[in-house]
Amino acid sequence: MTALQKRVAKRWYKTAHRLNPAQLIALAFVGIILAGSALLMLPAASRSGESVGFVPALFTATSATCVTGLVVFDTYIQWSGFGQIVILCLIQIGGLGFMSIASIFYLLGRKKMGLRQRMLISQALSLNDLNGVVRLQRHVLFGTFAFEGAGALILTLYFWKDYGLWRALRWGVFHSVSAFCNGGFDILGCLTPGGSLLHFQTDYVVCLTLGVLIAVGGLGFFVWEDLFRFRKTKRLTVYTKLVLLTSGALILAGTGAVCLFEWNNPATIGNMTVPQKLLSGLFQSISTRTAGFAALDQAALTEGSKAFCILLMLVGGSSGSTAGGIKTVTVCVLLLAAANRLRGRGRVSVFGREIAQEQIGNAMALVVMMVLLSLGGGLFLVGVEGVSFLNGWYESASAIATVGLSAGLTPSLGLASRLLLIVYMYFGRVGLMTISLGFLAGDRAKERFHYAETKLLIG
């Protein structure tokens, strides 16, 4: 290493140690995206042997790292085996977080993690403290690979008879990882180019296997740990109870809404049998909340379905999971606060515990910001691309909630619109609250005093 390289490395080392965990995570995602973009720009990453260029590679790398699933090309048709491996690695890193991947080397080498490493893992897993963070990280890795391995085995055995062992193995591994990490990428373009799971829309094994992987991945690592300890403690935390109840309610509500709006739509589920309609409605409901696999033609959905799916996208999965969105408990807290206000109550409680006013304020800020950004992105697409507002909002919400479902707009979008979606996917994965706390935190000195109160007319 030359003297110049040593000075640069030393400077970067000092800079990294001055950054807080939120800033490091945000910058690490940028680094991973740029590295993935460089690999996808290589001629070897494309089937044609020609480079796709910077922006398409950047868009695909961002979508994979941020586990979104929006694509400008069909993954199977455009990318070679090498390109597909790069995308799969980006999905795995993005789903678990780069610190989770890095911790594998600590655990395999039996090295002790320092305070800074523990803080990074805690921030990446959305934990409030450092207690048991290494144990939780170990369980996260074991649980992830166990679920992905089980899903890959089921899909491989199922595909083997019709498509041969090698293709079945590739499909099994790729789609299991993509589903568990809520990535939404598929390599089924050889069956239905650009059709995602349309070829298997009435296949119970494929849809239910992927649906379970998506749902489990979207629950959150803390919920896994709580359920794992339930055998000993015989009790669940308030957070886990809210996650399970909210997730179940959203899946049922989404299934009912899709079936209601699409029951007689011949372009989606209108010509299916009743069990097939229920299966399609269930999978659409699960996938819409951040997975991005499409077993129905999203462009052919009725306006009612699209509007309801946008709401499901914005809610997303749970904190500390592979999913994006506002998060289930965040929305639940806001609904509980609204219900209590309507009943004339100032305090919010659930399951015998009171929710802090600061958390209610954080939930409100996050919901307002996500909704306004998604609406603003939708209006931008309407103005620039000339699409309908509902389709523009659908694409915008899908990007910022890291869902990946598309009404067919993404492949035809111009440069400005693609750059907007790249920014939205990044913000949606890294987290608006993390960005805010890490980079945009204001001067806390202003909170040492306050002005006299005033009365406003509300409502």
Side-chain angles (χ1 to χ4, degrees), residues 59 62-71 182-183 288-292 309-310 312-314 316 323-327 370 373-378 381 390-407 409-410 413 416-432:
F59 190 99
T62 304
S63 184
T65 306
C66 299
V67 288
T68 304
L70 287 175
V71 293
N182 285 206
T288 299
R289 291 207 10 256
T290 66
C309 285
I310 289 172
L312 292 179
M313 288 181 191
L314 291 176
I326 296 169
K327 302 297 188 298
M370 283 285 283
L373 282 174
S374 67
L375 283 170
L381 294 179
L390 196 58
N391 284 340
W393 191 16
Y394 199 87
E395 216 80 4
S396 172
S398 180
I400 200 167
T402 68
V403 176
L405 290 176
S406 172
L409 301 184
T410 299
L413 293 178
S417 299
R418 289 186 182 184
L419 292 177
L420 173 73
L421 295 187
I422 288 172
V423 173
Y424 270 27
M425 288 188 288
Y426 174 77
F427 269 75
R429 179 56 183 149
V430 176
L432 294 174

Side-chain angles (χ1 to χ4, degrees), residues 208-348:
L208 291 180
T209 300
L210 295 180
V212 170
L213 288 171
I214 293 166
V216 173
L219 286 177
F221 305 129
F222 179 81
V223 174
W224 297 3
E225 182 74 1
D226 204 24
L227 292 173
F228 178 79
R229 292 183 299 187
F230 181 75
R231 296 177 300 175
K232 296 181 179 179
T233 62
K234 302 302 180 184
R235 62 187 178 85
L236 298 174
T237 63
V238 172
Y239 174 78
T240 298
K241 292 177 182 178
L242 286 177
V243 167
L244 295 177
L245 287 174
T246 307
S247 299
L250 288 171
I251 290 173
L252 292 176
T255 303
V258 172
C259 288
L260 173 65
F261 292 120
E262 302 297 325
W263 195 266
N264 296 315
N265 183 0
T268 52
I269 68 174
N271 297 323
M272 297 181 184
T273 64
V274 172
Q276 290 173 344
K277 289 180 178 182
L278 295 176
L279 174 68
S280 295
L282 174 64
F283 188 81
Q284 175 74 13
S285 175
I286 294 173
S287 184
T288 299
R289 291 207 10 256
T290 66
F293 287 110
L296 297 176
D297 183 356
Q298 303 301 298
L301 294 174
T302 62
E303 291 190 354
S305 288
K306 287 181 181 178
F308 198 88
C309 285
I310 289 172
L311 297 179
L312 292 179
M313 288 181 191
L314 291 176
V315 173
S318 300
S319 300
S321 72
T322 59
I326 296 169
K327 302 297 188 298
T328 52
V329 172
T330 304
V331 173
C332 186
V333 166
L334 202 58
L335 292 177
L336 288 171
N340 275 266
R341 284 293 183 184
L342 291 174
R343 296 165 65 183
R345 297 179 180 178
R347 299 181 181 273
V348 181

Side-chain angles (χ1 to χ4, degrees), residues 21 24-25 28-29 32 65 67 89-109 111 113 116-127 132-145 148 180-181 217 220-222 224 319-322 429:
L24 275 176
I25 290 173
F29 266 91
I32 294 168
T65 306
V67 288
C89 291
L90 292 176
I91 292 172
Q92 186 73 87
I93 294 171
L96 284 177
F98 82 99
M99 271 310 298
S100 294
I101 302 299
S103 67
I104 295 176
F105 299 99
Y106 280 93
L107 296 175
L108 291 177
K111 295 181 180 180
M113 292 187 188
R116 191 166 184 80
Q117 286 77 27
R118 293 169 187 259
M119 291 174 63
L120 284 169
I121 293 174
S122 176
Q123 183 77 28
L125 298 179
S126 300
L127 301 177
V133 67
V134 177
R135 182 186 70 252
L136 175 59
Q137 182 64 80
R138 190 181 297 113
H139 292 168
V140 165
L141 293 172
F142 176 79
T144 296
F145 296 134
E148 289 178 350
F180 185 82
C181 292
F221 305 129
F222 179 81
W224 297 3
S319 300
S321 72
T322 59
R429 179 56 183 149

